[in-house]
Amino acid sequence: MHLNFCPRCGVPLRWQGKPVHVGPEDLRGRGVWRYQPFLPDVEPVSLGEGGTPLLPAPSKSVGARIFWKLEFLNPTGSFKDRGASVMVSALRAFGAMHVADDSSGNAGAALAAYAAQAGLRAHLFVPAYASGPKVRQIAAYGAELHRVPGPRAAATAAVQRACADNPHLIYASHNSSPYFISGIMTLAFEIAEELGWRSPDHVVVPVGGGGLLLGLFYGFALLAELGWVEKLPKIHAAQAAACAPIVRALAEGLSEPKEVEPGETIAEGARIPKPERGKEIIMALRVVEGSGVMVEEEEIQRAQSELAKQGLYVEPTAALAPAALPKLVAHGTIKPNEVVVIPLTGFGLKTS
Ligand SMILES: *Cc1c(COP(=O)(O)O)cnc(C)c1O
């Protein structure tokens, strides 16, 4: 069964939130569920996600004040745990027993872990060629792997067919579920709270399906609407030159990204040639006066290794935004003394 799209017009749905009559002083506990007043009213399925450190980067020649948000310290090794925790909690509350997604990466690992904790059966549709630590992690959590021959798109088609045919199999897609994105909003809440209920001047993020970017956007937008922060941060999207539909759409002034023919890239977690929420991503970037930055493979590699030399071991996809940083500074988009937050999205051991 599909719950993520409007049954009439087909657009991906989004969590509108609920009326909030609380102030920051009413927040309790730590991590994602500290922000329960903003989340669906359901019993949490939690593995201790969120509450990740905001670490000041050593001040170097860059000039700006950079903070790394250590999202790779989440329970399964990526920020996707925020989304999976809230999505699985909501789906369990709705009575779901079988959940499905088409990810052989961090979203699949997060769904498998939270489904295991919730007592749900996870079905991951993955390309037959998929292998490596992330697939082993998915299998270790006890998820059922459905190996689909053919290209990546065949796995998506297979999961959609399976969910359409079987009313008991719920499509728990990280890219389209409104509950997944509501969980990512907690990343914005946490950053703002750690900065003393202020928005940073800039946030730089890697963009694949765009859930991370949209969660941050909707999170900061909600806080601004409530008056908990004064302004929205500028958000900048970093993509590998090999697969950069969003950056290209911005450069061409389009309101919806065109599908690209993806090349090979070490930033495997952001290799999405046609993001489902493409229009929404472009809209969000326009509203915050953000920008798009394309980075080359050598730049990703260099950023990854520079982070490791600071003691931060991240996977290549997580190095996209740090790789974009020098360009944003060189172009004058980020100015000296401005506050910049960069989520480090995935752990280095994920791709070793
Ligand atoms: C999924 C993922 C991304 C991209 O996030 P989207 O929400 O798909 O844009 C970036 N880094 C890592 C490590 C990821 O797993």
Side-chain angles (χ1 to χ4, degrees):
M1 185 158 40
H2 291 238
L3 299 167
N4 303 327
F5 304 94
C6 169
R8 267 174 299 173
C9 68
V11 300
L13 299 174
R14 91 175 174 84
W15 166 248
Q16 283 288 3
K18 54 189 186 192
V20 175
H21 305 288
V22 295
E25 66 283 358
D26 297 310
L27 302 174
R28 297 279 176 273
R30 68 184 292 279
V32 163
W33 295 93
R34 173 173 175 76
Y35 306 99
Q36 184 138 32
F38 299 110
L39 299 174
D41 282 314
V42 293
E43 191 57 38
V45 176
S46 175
L47 292 165
E49 55 292 326
T52 58
L54 187 70
L55 189 76
S59 52
K60 278 196 310 191
S61 49
V62 178
R65 291 152 61 201
I66 314 292
F67 293 86
W68 309 121
K69 180 77 170 147
L70 308 189
E71 286 297 292
F72 62 91
L73 295 180
N74 274 298
T76 79
S78 86
F79 77 92
K80 299 249 179 16
D81 292 347
R82 293 179 186 271
S85 174
V86 175
M87 178 174 68
V88 169
S89 304
L91 293 179
R92 184 177 68 173
F94 295 159
M97 289 165 71
H98 293 266
V99 292
D101 194 8
D102 52 328
S103 164
S104 53
N106 291 332
L111 180 63
Y114 284 84
Q117 169 77 3
L120 309 185
R121 189 106 183 107
H123 298 259
L124 274 302
F125 290 71
V126 305
Y129 59 78
S131 64
K134 293 178 186 176
V135 175
R136 287 199 294 279
Q137 188 184 9
I138 292 169
Y141 291 129
E144 197 167 316
L145 280 172
H146 302 256
R147 296 186 177 277
V148 184
R152 173 69 183 80
T156 306
V159 73
Q160 292 187 345
R161 211 175 323 111
C163 292
D165 290 349
N166 181 351
H168 299 291
L169 188 61
I170 308 296
Y171 189 28
S173 161
H174 58 290
N175 281 326
S176 52
S177 168
Y179 297 105
F180 192 92
I181 294 187
S182 76
I184 308 290
M185 287 166 70
T186 64
L187 181 53
F189 305 153
E190 236 172 74
I191 292 170
E193 184 166 13
E194 281 165 302
L195 295 175
W197 295 112
R198 271 192 206 92
S199 291
D201 297 302
H202 304 271
V203 181
V204 192
V205 287
V207 175
L212 175 60
L213 184 146
L214 289 171
L216 283 163
F217 171 71
Y218 292 127
F220 282 113
L222 180 59
L223 294 182
E225 200 180 300
L226 292 172
W228 291 23
V229 299
E230 264 176 25
K231 59 162 193 182
L232 296 178
K234 293 200 161 87
I235 304 179
H236 308 283
Q239 295 196 304
C243 187
I246 299 296
V247 181
R248 287 181 198 282
L250 286 175
E252 291 168 31
L254 307 176
S255 60
E256 186 166 11
K258 282 191 291 211
E259 179 161 2
V260 298
E261 185 62 52
E264 284 308 314
T265 172
I266 54 172
E268 58 180 26
R271 192 167 173 270
I272 311 279
K274 184 162 178 36
E276 226 158 15
R277 292 183 183 267
K279 251 183 150 155
E280 246 176 294
I281 298 169
I282 301 289
M283 177 277 296
L285 286 166
R286 294 243 160 85
V287 170
V288 298
E289 298 169 25
S291 66
V293 184
M294 235 188 267
V295 292
E296 302 295 334
E297 296 299 297
E298 315 80 74
E299 294 172 309
I300 304 171
Q301 235 153 10
R302 198 178 321 130
Q304 185 192 18
S305 113
E306 277 172 14
L307 284 164
K309 302 274 147 56
Q310 297 171 28
L312 301 166
Y313 190 40
V314 302
E315 64 175 287
T317 310
L320 281 170
L325 184 60
K327 296 191 171 181
L328 288 163
V329 173
H331 294 164
T333 309
I334 292 179
K335 299 184 184 62
N337 293 320
E338 287 190 318
V339 174
V340 185
V341 174
I342 301 186
L344 296 179
T345 49
F347 198 29
L349 293 174
K350 289 273 199 172
T351 49
S352 301

